[in-house]
Amino acid sequence: MKFSRLVIVFLCLLVVVAWLTKPGPDAFREFYQSELSSDGPPVIAFKDKFLYSSVEIDFYKPARMEGGEPLKAVSVKKQSYLGLFGRFWKL
């Protein structure tokens, strides 16, 4: 009985700490500032969940289509990050 109560209290504390230390969009911009590319700014989609934050980044590269079409942007790669306990992890 004591062990199960201890586990339940530990899990409740873990949830409260995760909720209090959830990083926001400004924290991600500060974290990601060093990895920005010079080709163009990426499109950052920030999703704020109850206990964590998820961030998806789309990188685009300018490309000219044939036939005299105007300059278009082509998706190059996507990255995902998980924000939890005040840090971001690449998925």
Side-chain angles (χ1 to χ4, degrees):
M1 223 31 167
K2 289 183 182 180
F3 180 73
S4 63
R5 285 185 184 173
L6 183 64
V7 169
I8 290 171
V9 168
F10 178 73
L11 290 176
C12 289
L13 286 174
L14 193 65
V15 167
V16 169
V17 168
W19 180 67
L20 290 175
T21 61
K22 176 181 59 172
D26 295 331
F28 181 75
R29 285 189 198 102
E30 183 179 313
F31 162 76
Y32 198 71
Q33 190 69 13
S34 64
E35 297 183 27
L36 288 176
S37 64
S38 62
D39 291 339
V43 176
I44 299 174
F46 187 85
K47 296 176 186 165
D48 194 15
K49 308 291 184 185
F50 177 67
L51 293 178
Y52 65 93
S53 304
S54 77
V55 182
E56 291 186 6
I57 304 172
D58 292 326
F59 293 94
Y60 292 95
K61 178 180 172 186
R64 184 166 297 280
M65 306 304 276
E66 297 203 18
E69 292 289 321
L71 195 63
K72 307 261 182 181
V74 177
S75 179
V76 177
K77 67 178 180 176
K78 293 184 179 186
Q79 290 181 347
S80 297
Y81 288 88
L82 176 71
L84 185 64
F85 297 117
R87 297 192 59 197
F88 287 97
W89 287 279
K90 187 175 180 180
L91 300 176

